[in-house]
Amino acid sequence: MDAFGAISHGVLRQIADTPPENLDSIGTPILQCCSIKAINGAPGAPQRFRVVFNDTNNFIQGMIATQANEIVTSGQLKRGSICRLNKFQASFIKEKHILVIIDIDVLQEYGEHEKLGMPVALDAAKAEGEEEQDVKPQPGNITGGNFYGNGSGTKQQPQSTNQSTNQRALPSRSNGPSNGGSHGNIHPIDSLSPYSHKWTIKARCTHKGEIKTWHNKNGEGKLFSVNFLDETGEIRATGFNDAVDTWYDVLQEGSVYYVSTPMKVQFAKKQFSNVNHDYELTFEKDTLVEKAEDMGGVPQVRYSFTTIADLQTVEKDSTIDCIGVLSEVGETSEIVSKTTQKPYSKRELTLVDNTGFNVRLTIWGKTAESFDARPESVVAFKGVKVSDFGGRSLSLLSSGSMSIEPDIEEAYKLKGWYDGSGRNEQFASHANSMPTVGAATGGGRDAIHTIAKVLEDNIGMGDTTEYYNIKASILYIKSESFAYPACQTQQPKPCNKKVIEVEEGNWRCEACDRSWPRPDYRYIMSISVCDHTSQIWLSGFNETALQIMGMSANDLMAMKEEGDEKGVTEAFQNATCQSFIFKCRAKMDTYGDQQRVRHQIQYANPIDFPRESKKLADLIKLYGDSDSLFVC
């Protein structure tokens, strides 16, 4: 290939004179790479590379977007290489034109120390009133000198130092109302730094966190954080106090916005963020935010998934993205932080994928309380922390996000696999790396025990809470006291405390200091279950009891208050003889002067009989070489 003839001569000036929204009209310019330099960023941040490109007339500085770093780290892109820019963005920063390279191909290697033409800086000053001349060099102008010095070809005449400059920024955007009708220069997120001034980004809000408050000796305040994403990268932005009141309700997940300076850019605090960027933003008093009517050119949430099988190779405390099919959904429970003494809601989920593994993932706070995805849904998580508690487990960070049935290729593949064969497969746990086909697997958090095994092993008799799974049928449900009157408060989180009827039509909650005309009845049940080995009493709360009873406690209590004893009796009779896989927790409890083990249902999943049949068949195969047969 004739390197000189292949170059897109003069294209850099054309790029500089083209509005950002019309850059597609430039096509895929071919340039020469003159320089590559690694840039030191924040500790733990991805490597960044600065490049210089040449079109034989001009040269321009650029940045390689982090998702394109491989072109440099693999050694494909070198000084002198002839390259085609498949995708790029242009910006004007500190009086200089900058390119951000998103996708690039290397077409040919050229002399490492040879440049094509006699390029000058794109922003070089021109004499006042002087028309721009066509300085396109002829083939004879190809020099063999170093990139940083002129060769033996025709020299570029130096410009007079007293000539006035005529530097131009990229044309302003004006396709929407915004304080004068212009959005200024659209700046790529990937190249934001503390040295960037007077910029505007066009980005999608991919995550909005909850409002958090703090109280300490220096005072009190509140904050929230959002993540912004464009084609080049993602960055976190935080607003404090007044910014919370101004922008929290304006910014909505999934929408695209123009965000403009003034805005503080500083090194990212990686311990509070899952975003892969050296810097983060802080809203200031006069920050400008405007919703973009045109959402084109801005990607949706970008994931980098780790399969469940690969979690074993991921370092503890790493932050990853994952996707899986929801196989189990636990009930919401509450824990108290040892450091802050504040209560937090939590819910445990179990995910499976087509690698044959499952994993336990914990979600927190309002996300746990409002979670409503049903088993067999595909759920994608961005920003989950890897833990080694009981093997490999995951926890959704406060800066992370969750998408149920996302419109992405990975979700469709998982759904097709699960509907085709996945629901009948057995899955290994990172806790024991063995299939959970029953008690024969020898324990593990996901193993199914017999009731006799639970009683024989004295599960729950120790000082710590223990968990186990059993497959059992309901023998009897106590109907004497199946529900309690609860508070109706739902915000900022459900109260669920017991209320007292101080007078007719007046139910008082001491915890919330509020009164209600009627209570919200919630189940609290004592259930006897059995399998082929033994029987055990379990306590169940509202979410589990709703699934077992098939009606709300309010409806069942209304039947009782209206004197429909037959209907109440039938409701309890219909609930018996059902079979579930119960996930339980066992803990020593003191009642009166006596200690006892309390077995509490965390959640109950209906038995998938085709899957259970396959498990039993595989269990039988374990004994396939035996001289005798047995019946399960």
Side-chain angles (χ1 to χ4, degrees):
M1 181 178 71
D2 177 11
F4 185 85
I7 295 293
S8 303
H9 303 287
V11 73
L12 293 179
R13 174 56 62 187
Q14 185 182 355
I15 290 173
D17 292 340
T18 301
E21 64 268 26
N22 296 331
L23 280 179
D24 288 344
S25 65
I26 302 294
T28 55
I30 297 177
L31 305 171
Q32 182 187 30
C33 176
C34 299
S35 173
I36 306 173
K37 182 179 180 181
I39 301 174
N40 294 325
Q47 181 67 66
R48 305 291 296 279
F49 295 97
R50 180 182 293 137
V51 291
V52 176
F53 288 109
N54 162 35
D55 70 355
T56 71
N57 291 2
N58 300 105
F59 60 82
I60 190 172
Q61 291 189 25
M63 295 287 293
I64 300 293
T66 52
Q67 63 261 40
N69 275 353
E70 186 181 0
I71 197 76
V72 179
T73 57
S74 65
Q76 299 177 62
L77 182 63
K78 302 176 181 178
R79 288 181 61 187
S81 297
I82 308 302
C83 313
R84 179 174 58 231
L85 308 190
N86 299 319
K87 199 170 188 180
F88 61 94
Q89 290 188 353
S91 197
F92 192 74
I93 306 171
K94 296 187 70 175
E95 307 302 321
K96 289 186 179 181
H97 293 289
I98 300 291
L99 291 183
V100 177
I101 312 305
I102 302 170
D103 187 18
I104 179 174
D105 287 333
V106 175
L107 304 181
Q108 177 185 346
E109 289 189 15
Y110 195 70
E112 184 176 343
H113 297 288
E114 297 181 6
K115 65 179 176 180
L116 296 173
M118 297 294 294
V120 297
L122 184 63
D123 306 288
K126 291 179 289 186
E128 184 176 357
E130 179 182 346
E131 294 185 3
E132 187 174 357
Q133 299 180 0
D134 184 5
V135 293
K136 177 179 178 180
Q138 301 302 317
N141 292 73
I142 302 177
T143 71
N146 188 281
F147 279 125
Y148 301 102
N150 290 329
S152 58
T154 304
K155 292 185 179 181
Q156 178 74 25
Q157 294 297 322
Q159 296 180 357
S160 173
T161 58
N162 61 0
Q163 290 176 336
S164 63
T165 62
N166 185 29
Q167 298 176 347
R168 291 180 295 168
L170 295 177
S172 298
R173 298 292 309 268
S174 59
N175 61 342
S178 173
N179 297 333
S182 173
H183 294 292
N185 301 314
I186 304 302
H187 194 102
I189 284 178
D190 197 50
S191 60
L192 286 177
S193 76
Y195 310 104
S196 307
H197 303 285
K198 295 183 179 179
W199 48 261
T200 297
I201 59 173
K202 181 183 179 183
R204 188 181 304 276
C205 176
T206 58
H207 170 73
K208 182 175 75 169
E210 299 177 7
I211 296 176
K212 299 181 179 179
T213 59
W214 76 85
H215 304 269
N216 55 35
K217 62 181 180 180
N218 297 321
E220 59 183 38
K222 56 186 176 181
L223 64 87
F224 81 104
S225 295
V226 293
N227 293 347
F228 289 120
L229 171 75
D230 70 5
E231 285 189 330
T232 69
E234 192 170 14
I235 195 166
R236 181 174 183 254
T238 303
F240 295 88
N241 299 324
D242 291 343
V244 177
D245 300 329
T246 304
W247 299 121
Y248 188 80
D249 292 332
V250 172
L251 295 167
Q252 300 297 326
E253 288 186 10
S255 296
V256 176
Y257 299 90
Y258 293 105
V259 183
S260 305
T261 50
M263 207 168 190
K264 187 176 181 181
V265 184
Q266 57 190 359
F267 279 109
K269 300 178 181 65
K270 295 294 185 179
Q271 67 271 33
F272 301 122
S273 173
N274 65 304
V275 174
N276 196 9
H277 200 291
D278 294 350
Y279 303 102
E280 62 185 19
L281 307 175
T282 301
F283 289 95
E284 296 191 351
K285 180 179 179 181
D286 298 321
T287 298
L288 301 177
V289 178
E290 178 191 340
K291 189 171 183 178
E293 298 300 329
D294 175 19
M295 299 173 65
V298 183
Q300 300 288 338
V301 178
R302 182 179 291 134
Y303 295 98
S304 179
F305 291 122
T306 299
T307 65
I308 298 177
D310 289 340
L311 289 177
Q312 196 65 41
T313 63
V314 177
E315 291 186 8
K316 177 180 177 293
D317 296 331
S318 298
T319 300
I320 64 163
D321 303 339
C322 74
I323 186 171
V325 178
L326 199 61
S327 67
E328 296 177 352
V329 180
E331 290 187 358
T332 304
S333 59
E334 192 173 87
I335 64 170
V336 178
S337 170
K338 293 181 179 179
T339 55
T340 64
Q341 299 301 312
K342 291 183 179 179
Y344 292 95
S345 298
K346 62 175 288 190
R347 188 192 294 262
E348 290 188 354
L349 314 175
T350 301
L351 297 179
V352 300
D353 69 6
N354 52 6
T355 63
F357 276 78
N358 61 23
V359 69
R360 177 171 48 88
L361 188 150
T362 305
I363 55 177
W364 306 86
K366 291 183 179 179
T367 304
E369 294 167 4
S370 61
F371 186 82
D372 60 355
R374 300 190 62 81
E376 302 192 358
S377 302
V378 177
V379 188
F381 295 88
K382 182 175 180 62
V384 292
K385 183 179 179 181
V386 179
S387 169
D388 61 358
F389 177 73
R392 280 291 187 263
S393 59
L394 303 174
S395 177
L396 181 63
L397 299 172
S398 59
S399 59
S401 60
M402 173 183 66
S403 179
I404 299 170
E405 302 289 1
D407 185 16
I408 56 177
E409 182 180 357
E410 293 88 346
Y412 294 123
K413 287 182 178 179
L414 274 180
K415 192 69 174 176
W417 157 79
Y418 192 79
D419 290 342
S421 62
R423 59 165 44 92
N424 297 319
E425 292 184 15
Q426 305 138 27
F427 297 95
S429 167
H430 287 294
N432 56 10
S433 299
M434 296 182 65
T436 57
V437 295
T441 58
R445 187 181 181 96
D446 296 309
I448 296 177
H449 298 275
T450 63
I451 295 177
K453 177 77 171 170
V454 172
L455 299 176
E456 289 169 6
D457 290 351
N458 293 319
I459 292 180
M461 294 289 286
D463 296 331
T464 60
T465 302
E466 297 184 74
Y467 297 85
Y468 63 89
N469 299 325
I470 56 173
K471 180 170 60 178
S473 300
I474 298 174
L475 285 179
Y476 178 72
I477 304 173
K478 288 186 178 180
S479 59
E480 293 79 13
S481 179
F482 60 84
Y484 73 96
C487 177
Q488 294 192 43
T489 297
Q490 297 297 317
Q491 298 295 336
K493 68 174 186 177
C495 172
N496 296 338
K497 295 293 191 298
K498 185 176 181 179
V499 294
I500 300 172
E501 188 176 24
V502 294
E503 58 184 18
E504 186 175 353
N506 184 3
W507 296 80
R508 178 73 176 170
C509 176
E510 296 297 334
C512 294
D513 193 23
R514 297 184 64 178
S515 296
W516 304 96
R518 58 181 177 81
D520 177 28
Y521 284 99
R522 294 178 61 84
Y523 283 117
I524 178 168
M525 287 186 167
S526 186
I527 304 169
S528 174
V529 301
C530 73
D531 64 7
H532 63 287
T533 65
S534 189
Q535 174 270 340
I536 195 171
W537 282 93
L538 307 176
S539 60
F541 294 98
N542 198 60
E543 286 77 7
T544 300
L546 275 170
Q547 190 172 14
I548 293 172
M549 296 300 298
M551 67 171 65
S552 70
N554 285 321
D555 292 341
L556 192 58
M557 184 61 71
M559 293 171 60
K560 183 177 180 180
E561 292 175 347
E562 292 170 2
D564 187 3
E565 294 296 334
K566 182 179 178 181
V568 173
T569 301
E570 288 180 353
F572 281 100
Q573 287 177 346
N574 293 336
T576 59
C577 298
Q578 297 184 84
S579 297
F580 295 90
I581 294 178
F582 295 98
K583 183 176 182 66
C584 305
R585 56 179 290 181
K587 186 177 182 181
M588 188 65 72
D589 188 21
T590 301
Y591 185 76
D593 295 329
Q594 294 184 343
Q595 282 193 323
R596 62 177 183 177
V597 178
R598 186 177 185 185
H599 299 268
Q600 179 182 323
I601 304 171
Q602 286 196 293
Y603 53 82
N605 285 333
I607 293 178
D608 183 338
F609 288 101
R611 182 176 178 182
E612 288 299 310
S613 298
K614 188 174 187 303
K615 283 184 180 181
L616 291 175
D618 290 334
L619 187 59
I620 292 173
K621 289 178 183 178
L622 295 176
Y623 300 88
D625 295 331
S626 175
D627 294 333
S628 60
L629 297 176
F630 68 93
V631 179
C632 290

